[in-house]
Amino acid sequence: STEFDLKELSKYKGGKDVQGKLYIGLKGKVYDVSSKPDLYGPQAKYHPLTGRDASSALGKMLLEDQKILSQSGHSHLNQEELEILDQWVDRFSNYPVVGTLKTSSKL
């Protein structure tokens, strides 16, 4: 299984250099959401989540907040936010897992 760091993951936002692939990191896994460009492609509602660890943004349901979008990991989420995140993980089970997200030692 491929291990992605945040820099590597950031390439997967649908560009030609990655053959249009759209990847989202969620709770330590990397999902390929390329099959749903209507949801995740450029100009789509969830495109800001692509190419990053979206755990924090989805747990907090703050898809437009650049500060939240730039946070990686989910250890800082409260119990309610973790439950929301788990619901998202269930929804993402329909997408192929292409690797794992390398956790940074930086806090």
Side-chain angles (χ1 to χ4, degrees):
S1 164
T2 305
E3 189 176 54
F4 293 85
D5 61 22
L6 293 175
K7 184 178 180 191
E8 178 70 19
L9 182 59
S10 70
K11 299 174 187 172
Y12 291 89
K13 297 179 72 66
K16 287 187 173 73
D17 55 328
V18 291
Q19 293 80 44
K21 295 283 186 197
L22 298 160
Y23 291 177
I24 294 179
L26 200 58
K27 264 188 109 173
K29 293 182 180 175
V30 178
Y31 296 86
D32 183 345
V33 297
S34 307
S35 63
K36 294 283 188 181
D38 54 318
L39 292 176
Y40 300 103
Q43 270 62 139
K45 179 179 181 181
Y46 295 112
H47 188 258
L49 301 175
T50 62
R52 63 176 77 230
D53 180 350
S55 301
S56 187
L58 288 173
K60 292 178 177 289
M61 292 301 296
L62 294 170
L63 308 184
E64 309 294 324
D65 187 318
Q66 288 304 312
K67 183 175 180 234
I68 299 295
L69 280 169
S70 67
Q71 291 180 339
S72 62
H74 57 278
S75 59
H76 57 280
L77 298 179
N78 67 34
Q79 188 60 42
E80 183 181 347
E81 292 164 344
L82 286 169
E83 288 171 12
I84 293 169
L85 178 57
D86 284 339
Q87 291 170 10
W88 278 103
V89 170
D90 287 344
R91 289 183 197 148
F92 272 70
S93 65
N94 298 319
Y95 298 109
V97 174
V98 292
T100 57
L101 195 55
K102 186 177 180 181
T103 53
S104 171
S105 55
K106 286 189 281 181
L107 295 176

